[in-house]
Amino acid sequence: MINILTFSSLSGTPPTQALTDATSSFQSIGTWWMWLAFFAIVLVVLAIDLIFVGGGKQHRVSLKEAASWSLVWVGLALSFGAGLWFYLDANYTREFATSKTLEYLTGYLIEKSLAVDNVFVWLMLFNFFAIPFELQKRVLTYGVLGAIILRTIMIFAGVWLLAHFHWLLYVFGAFLLITGIKMWWMADKEMDLNNNPILNWLKRHFAISDHLDGERFFVIVNGVKLMTPLFLVLIMVEISDVIFAVDSIPAIFAITSDPFIVLTSNIFAILGLRAMYFLLADMADRFTYIKYGLSLVLVFIGIKMLLIDIYKIPTGISLATVALLIGGSALISWIKTKPSNSASQ
């Protein structure tokens, strides 16, 4: 049975022995109050975002607002990591505190990086359905809330499965390796939504309005309740969250099996998704090569998982590798797509 209590809660177990036991099992650094504090932080910042920062108002999110909130979410995630380090350093050893904090930061960076591909899919969906910017925020709000609930369920299910079936790590590793190769192969190809089987199924089985009606998800026309294109986009956004969760959650298990670290790094990455979307929406064409970097990240993580019982790649090397691949592909994209002087005149 998975124990999500603190190491020191192991009755009668010395701290040094508890650390040894914990690092070789699926026990967690999270105490009950740490879990409670984390969920309280998430609820508070969501309330601030949804209630006090125009979350319920129809408006176009400006680049300045998106950049400001992106900094807030990243700063919050890093502050949480710093607090985690100070807590572990005070209660255990500095080496252990550094190791666990590196796991958290690596997991956060992986999830944040893989979320970029999710952002590009959202942008494609909104363009396909011609959803104006001022209506997109509500869809993304529900999309993020749904992703938080979905990721929480999938993470605990994954922890339970890996605790009972260690061989699944190899399945996840092979899956990520194949997914990374496929992503590289499909990086320069556009998704054809006109022939999307899920979208076509929805159109055949539900009454859908031809027109938007503000932020409404449903309208009544001649006594018939119709789904608006906005709700159709929301369904596709939630489905994309499921698909990307299947890729990203196994990836973080290559870094750590601690449910507290897996969940916190995931949720903090998701919280900033909406702001990141509006930040990148007007600059998506400047990051054309980043999918190649993301594909290499998946390949690297897949190989790491396949080698986990032969050689454990240090977390620090994993963090540096992911940062180099994502940062390098973003830099190459920015340089390669820089407008020429003649074009800008």
Side-chain angles (χ1 to χ4, degrees), residues 267-313:
I267 299 304
F268 276 120
I270 292 172
L271 286 174
L273 262 182
R274 192 178 64 180
M276 185 168 68
Y277 167 81
F278 288 110
L279 186 64
L280 297 178
D282 291 330
M283 302 183 293
D285 57 338
R286 297 296 307 273
F287 294 97
T288 55
Y289 293 95
I290 202 166
K291 284 193 175 184
Y292 293 101
L294 294 174
S295 67
L296 292 176
V297 168
L298 289 176
V299 169
F300 171 73
I301 296 299
I303 293 174
K304 177 180 172 70
M305 295 188 82
L306 292 173
L307 296 176
I308 198 165
D309 288 326
I310 300 174
Y311 174 71
K312 293 185 178 180
I313 300 176

Side-chain angles (χ1 to χ4, degrees), residues 54-61 132-138 213-216 230:
K57 300 177 181 178
Q58 175 181 323
H59 77 286
R60 179 184 178 118
V61 177
F133 269 99
E134 58 270 18
L135 300 182
Q136 294 176 9
K137 188 173 182 180
R138 188 183 186 205
D213 190 357
E215 290 188 322
R216 293 182 180 180
L230 196 67

Side-chain angles (χ1 to χ4, degrees), residues 74-86:
V74 173
L76 182 64
L78 294 179
S79 298
F80 185 86
L84 182 65
W85 184 90
F86 281 111

Side-chain angles (χ1 to χ4, degrees), residues 43-259:
L43 291 175
V44 169
V45 294
L46 280 176
I48 293 174
D49 184 28
L50 298 177
I51 299 174
F52 299 106
V53 193
K57 300 177 181 178
Q58 175 181 323
H59 77 286
R60 179 184 178 118
V61 177
S62 66
L63 182 63
K64 180 179 179 181
E65 181 183 350
S68 299
W69 270 103
S70 293
L71 290 175
V72 168
W73 293 125
V74 173
L76 182 64
L78 294 179
S79 298
F80 185 86
L84 182 65
W85 184 90
F86 281 111
Y87 168 76
L88 295 176
D89 182 56
N91 289 274
Y92 302 104
T93 67
R94 178 152 299 184
E95 180 182 2
F96 184 73
T98 301
S99 174
K100 287 297 176 181
T101 304
L102 276 177
E103 290 179 3
Y104 165 81
L105 292 174
T106 305
Y108 174 75
L109 180 59
I110 288 174
E111 297 303 322
K112 199 73 171 176
S113 301
L114 294 178
V116 173
D117 201 27
N118 207 353
V119 166
F120 290 152
V121 170
W122 290 351
L123 182 61
M124 179 183 60
L125 287 170
F126 286 130
N127 288 338
F128 180 80
F129 287 98
I131 306 297
F133 269 99
E134 58 270 18
L135 300 182
Q136 294 176 9
K137 188 173 182 180
R138 188 183 186 205
V139 173
L140 294 180
T141 297
Y142 282 102
V144 169
L145 292 176
I148 289 175
I149 296 172
L150 173 69
R151 296 291 180 99
T152 302
I153 295 172
M154 292 182 67
I155 284 170
F156 282 109
V159 169
W160 185 89
L161 286 171
L162 291 177
H164 290 79
F165 308 103
H166 178 73
W167 53 268
L168 282 175
L169 283 172
Y170 298 109
V171 176
F172 288 164
F175 172 75
L176 292 176
L177 182 61
I178 294 172
T179 301
I181 295 173
K182 182 180 178 181
M183 182 182 288
W184 179 284
W185 181 261
M186 301 293 291
D188 59 348
K189 296 178 176 62
E190 291 291 335
M191 183 185 299
D192 185 8
L193 285 175
N194 286 309
N195 296 316
N196 185 278
I198 298 175
L199 186 56
N200 290 334
W201 185 90
L202 289 170
K203 289 181 177 180
R204 288 195 305 269
H205 290 80
F206 294 93
I208 302 173
S209 171
D210 293 329
H211 306 287
L212 292 166
D213 190 357
E215 290 188 322
R216 293 182 180 180
F217 287 143
F218 296 93
V219 292
I220 297 178
V221 179
N222 297 325
V224 179
K225 189 174 185 179
L226 303 178
M227 179 190 300
T228 67
L230 196 67
F231 190 73
L232 189 58
V233 173
L234 175 60
I235 294 175
M236 296 300 293
V237 165
E238 296 291 3
I239 291 174
S240 73
D241 286 339
V242 174
I243 295 172
F244 283 102
V246 172
D247 288 341
S248 62
I249 290 178
I252 198 173
F253 281 118
I255 305 301
T256 180
S257 58
D258 187 317

